[in-house]
Amino acid sequence: MEDCLDQGTAPIQYSRRDYYKVSLIRGDNLYHYADKSIRVNGAALLFFNPQVPYNWEPRSDNQTGFFCIFRDAFMAEHMRGNLHELPMFRLGGRPAYLLDKAQDDIISKLFEKMLSEVNSDYIYKYDLLHSYLTELIHTALKFEPSHNLYQHPNAKSRTTAAFIELLERQFPIELPGQRFRLRSASDFARQLSVHVNHLNRSVRDTTGRTTTTHIAERLIGEATALLKHTDWNIAEISYCLGFDEPAHFSYFFKKHTLLTPSAFRTV
């Protein structure tokens, strides 16, 4: 970890990545993960997945530790079940494990083996790396995940944060067959297991805007990006954004931008 940290390094942005990450970090740090935050002064083992935005804020200069990154395909061939079904990678799960000295030593030795192997010329080193990563995951499963998570000030802000995260998780649209499926407040409420009235009230009271406004603005933002930066036809974009008919999409787009999708492309 210390080899990658430097004076003047830009702050790590709160965002999703396109890979999984496992980090052992020592020091005083504040971690933000989805709608949760945790302050750790000591050693912590953290698991991050591509579906959830995160970052961490160093609160001291003495940052040490290790990290590894990998994609789903690295584990898929050798693993029973799906990686995202594991407790530390599951949506809504507990990604942080506070470590005592003995646990820190165990995890450090595994990372040291991985670091040594990745720099070797051994032809089967990735088989060994897979084994070490699997052992690291199962070692962590035997530890108790941290429940000492900072909470949002109230239930309304927690619900709003979960709604915003779930909304953003559906973007960007990168393939013509990809589809935006949660399009109404009821869809989101069902996914979040809350009553739609509670969701609408929470979002309005927390942000000053309605749930429908948030969804519409995000759809318009994605629609303009697709119209500008892809050569997909209007029907393809309409389908990706969850509209049953291109005419419905055109009406929606013109209502919010005063231009038809075709006219927007020529501006």
Side-chain angles (χ1 to χ4, degrees):
M1 182 71 68
E2 47 269 44
D3 295 339
C4 299
L5 297 175
D6 192 9
Q7 297 278 349
T9 300
I12 298 171
Q13 297 299 311
Y14 180 75
S15 65
R16 291 175 293 172
R17 278 68 173 177
D18 63 352
Y19 50 78
Y20 290 84
K21 184 174 184 178
V22 184
S23 297
L24 167 61
I25 306 181
R26 306 184 194 93
D28 187 2
N29 294 283
L30 181 62
Y31 307 96
H32 306 288
Y33 184 89
D35 64 336
K36 305 177 180 69
S37 298
I38 181 172
R39 179 77 176 268
V40 178
N41 191 358
L45 182 64
L46 297 113
F47 295 84
F48 303 109
N49 76 60
Q51 295 176 289
V52 178
Y54 68 89
N55 74 341
W56 61 281
E57 299 176 33
R59 315 287 284 199
S60 63
D61 295 329
N62 58 333
Q63 306 295 319
T64 64
F66 302 88
F67 69 91
C68 70
I69 60 176
F70 58 95
R71 290 193 167 89
D72 192 60
F74 182 69
M75 299 294 284
E77 293 183 11
H78 307 278
M79 187 174 181
R80 179 182 298 176
N82 294 319
L83 193 62
H84 64 260
E85 293 175 354
L86 292 171
M88 63 274 288
F89 290 123
R90 186 183 302 138
L91 295 177
R94 300 285 182 171
Y97 296 73
L98 305 182
L99 306 180
D100 58 29
K101 180 62 171 65
Q103 292 170 332
D104 186 347
D105 289 343
I106 292 170
I107 298 299
S108 294
K109 284 182 172 62
L110 285 170
F111 271 111
E112 286 166 359
K113 288 181 179 180
M114 294 164 71
L115 188 59
S116 173
E117 206 57 56
V118 80
N119 292 319
S120 77
D121 296 325
Y122 181 48
I123 189 172
Y124 299 116
K125 66 181 180 181
Y126 287 103
D127 289 338
L128 271 177
L129 286 167
H130 179 275
S131 297
Y132 293 147
L133 179 56
T134 301
E135 183 177 355
L136 190 155
I137 289 171
H138 285 285
T139 300
L141 286 173
K142 296 178 182 179
F143 298 159
E144 186 68 25
S146 172
H147 294 271
N148 184 29
L149 292 172
Y150 285 134
Q151 299 297 315
H152 285 272
N154 55 56
K156 288 182 179 180
S157 62
R158 285 197 298 273
T159 299
T160 301
F163 160 71
I164 296 295
E165 195 277 322
L166 190 57
L167 175 62
E168 288 298 325
R169 194 189 303 163
Q170 299 182 88
F171 298 102
I173 303 290
E174 297 176 319
L175 298 169
Q178 187 179 344
R179 199 167 200 213
F180 179 69
R181 298 192 179 279
L182 303 180
R183 298 194 64 252
S184 69
S186 297
D187 293 336
F188 283 91
R190 200 159 37 245
Q191 191 77 7
L192 295 170
S193 300
V194 298
H195 194 280
V196 66
N197 291 344
H198 171 69
L199 174 63
N200 288 333
R201 187 165 48 249
S202 297
V203 172
R204 185 179 61 251
D205 291 351
T206 304
T207 69
R209 294 184 295 163
T210 66
T211 311
T212 301
T213 299
H214 280 279
I215 297 169
E217 288 180 353
R218 193 62 184 84
L219 273 173
I220 288 295
E222 193 68 12
T224 56
L226 292 174
L227 288 166
K228 281 183 179 179
H229 303 297
T230 74
D231 59 359
W232 303 353
N233 61 45
I234 303 301
E236 288 174 320
I237 294 175
S238 169
Y239 173 82
C240 288
L241 296 178
F243 292 89
D244 294 328
E245 298 290 340
H248 297 162
F249 168 60
S250 295
Y251 174 81
F252 171 83
F253 191 84
K254 186 174 182 180
K255 176 183 176 182
H256 289 276
T257 67
L258 304 181
L259 293 170
T260 65
S262 298
F264 178 84
R265 268 189 160 158
T266 64
V267 173

